[in-house]
Amino acid sequence: MYPTPRRNILAAAGTLLAAPALAQSPWPDRPIRLIVPFGAGGAVDTLSRTVAARFGEHTGGQTLVVENRPGAGGTIAGAFVAQQRPDGLTLMMSDVGANAIGRLLYPSLPYDPMTAFTPIVHLVNLPGVLMAHPSVTATTAAEVIAAARARPDGFTFSSAGNGNGSHLFMELFLKRAGLKMVHVPYRSGAEMVTALIRGDAQFGFPTVSSGLNMIREGRAKAIAISVPGGTPALPGIPALADTLPGYNTAVWHGIVAPAGMEPGLVARINEVFTRIITMDEVREQVFRAQAGTVVPGTPEQFATFIRREYETWLPIIREGNIRAE
């Protein structure tokens, strides 16, 4: 039995809106570690290093040291951070797997993502794009749905692995539309997109940044965007919510710390990272590199967001019997 997400996450976040501003707080008085749950060179690493490069400007010259701990869908990093002291010296660039749904995907996970962390600040959302091989005649989400209903189990979709965002985004689409397709998991986003443009699969649901070049080159076509309003990175491509009202999902990242952090320290860390992520130069870099949107807020808002993510993916994972192990 899993704990109630709302109770545990909000308890971890604490009563933070009442915390006083801590402009004179000594944090940070030494270098801070930012644990990144994926390898160097990927989207999460790029975001982390973008933030780290501006850290000293808002902390009196202190440094944010990026430390990559990849593996097991981010849960190796999650397990490490969960064991650290909540003293502000070790933070984590959060991800849905390591910090929300990890135990659903990895039942033997040695920590509970819903109780092991203090949410501090939501940083960015990276939209996904429903893509199709050029041989698919459908050009809109409605046409894809109609074609798939006419050919139950006749289409395949590629993903970057069981439980990966590209898998879950597609499963949510299929569930909302009442469809079935054959899932073909690969080991990475690059392999997933390659399989799609090669014609080994008819559909895929990567992040916009992962599929953008293939779309621009005409080797794949964009059908719909995963967030309401679409994205300026693919102008003219409608949101999936225009066809399936309420569909709204993205890859997201933020800053979390080990559970039990003192509310005043949480407020101070939130303040620093909010200043960094809302810099015009950082916003532009996040969009250029990842088609991402900056979405800061309070620790309590981030806690609520994580709880909603858990509740969104819980039925998808359980009904689909999705396991990453």
Side-chain angles (χ1 to χ4, degrees):
M1 178 69 70
Y2 295 102
T4 302
R6 180 180 182 87
R7 181 180 66 247
N8 290 327
I9 286 189
L10 292 179
T15 309
L16 298 168
L17 288 178
L22 295 180
Q24 56 273 58
S25 168
W27 186 94
D29 60 357
R30 68 195 75 180
I32 304 301
R33 287 193 301 179
L34 179 63
I35 306 302
V36 177
F38 298 98
V44 188
D45 181 68
T46 299
L47 172 64
S48 301
R49 295 181 189 278
T50 297
V51 170
R54 313 308 289 263
F55 189 74
E57 299 174 35
H58 303 277
T59 58
Q62 286 296 344
T63 56
L64 185 67
V65 180
V66 175
E67 183 177 316
N68 299 90
R69 287 180 175 257
T75 58
I76 288 177
F80 173 78
V81 174
Q83 296 173 352
Q84 306 306 303
R85 295 179 58 190
D87 53 12
L89 299 181
T90 301
L91 305 174
M92 181 176 180
M93 184 62 75
S94 60
D95 172 80
V96 67
N99 304 105
I101 61 174
R103 187 170 277 185
L104 299 175
L105 298 173
Y106 297 88
S108 61
L109 200 65
Y111 72 96
D112 186 342
M114 303 306 288
T115 59
F117 304 103
T118 301
I120 295 178
V121 62
H122 191 169
L123 295 180
V124 302
N125 285 337
L126 311 180
V129 55
L130 175 60
M131 288 176 23
H133 186 267
S135 64
V136 174
T137 58
T139 59
T140 68
E143 290 175 355
V144 169
I145 292 170
R149 285 177 177 166
R151 292 177 54 185
D153 297 325
F155 289 118
T156 63
F157 74 92
S158 59
S159 81
N162 287 322
N164 178 269
S166 57
H167 180 199
L168 297 179
F169 288 7
M170 196 69 179
E171 293 289 357
L172 181 62
F173 166 62
L174 297 176
K175 180 179 174 61
R176 295 279 177 87
L179 305 176
K180 289 185 179 181
M181 290 187 188
V182 177
H183 175 216
V184 183
Y186 289 84
R187 294 177 297 179
S188 69
E191 289 187 11
M192 175 196 73
V193 173
T194 298
L196 174 63
I197 63 175
R198 199 168 50 215
D200 295 342
Q202 287 79 48
F203 297 97
F205 215 140
T207 59
V208 168
S209 58
S210 295
L212 192 57
N213 286 340
M214 304 302 175
I215 293 167
R216 287 175 173 170
E217 293 167 3
R219 293 194 280 171
K221 57 185 177 182
I223 302 294
I225 307 300
S226 69
V227 295
T231 171
L234 285 170
I237 304 301
L240 194 49
D242 294 348
T243 302
L244 295 175
Y247 192 102
N248 181 11
T249 191
V251 172
W252 55 267
H253 303 294
I255 301 296
V256 300
M261 180 173 281
E262 187 271 323
L265 180 56
V266 174
R268 168 61 178 160
I269 299 173
N270 175 283
E271 174 191 5
V272 168
F273 281 96
T274 297
R275 287 179 177 177
I276 295 170
I277 203 66
T278 56
M279 296 174 70
D280 288 343
E281 299 90 339
V282 174
R283 285 182 184 272
E284 292 170 7
Q285 193 166 348
V286 167
F287 178 74
R288 285 198 312 270
Q290 299 160 328
T293 302
V294 169
V295 283
T298 68
E300 287 157 327
Q301 287 171 330
F302 192 29
T304 298
F305 174 83
I306 294 173
R307 172 181 57 82
R308 288 175 179 165
E309 282 288 283
Y310 179 94
E311 292 171 350
T312 293
W313 300 119
L314 174 64
I316 299 295
I317 293 169
R318 286 190 171 168
E319 291 170 19
N321 195 29
I322 298 171
R323 294 289 182 271
E325 291 180 316

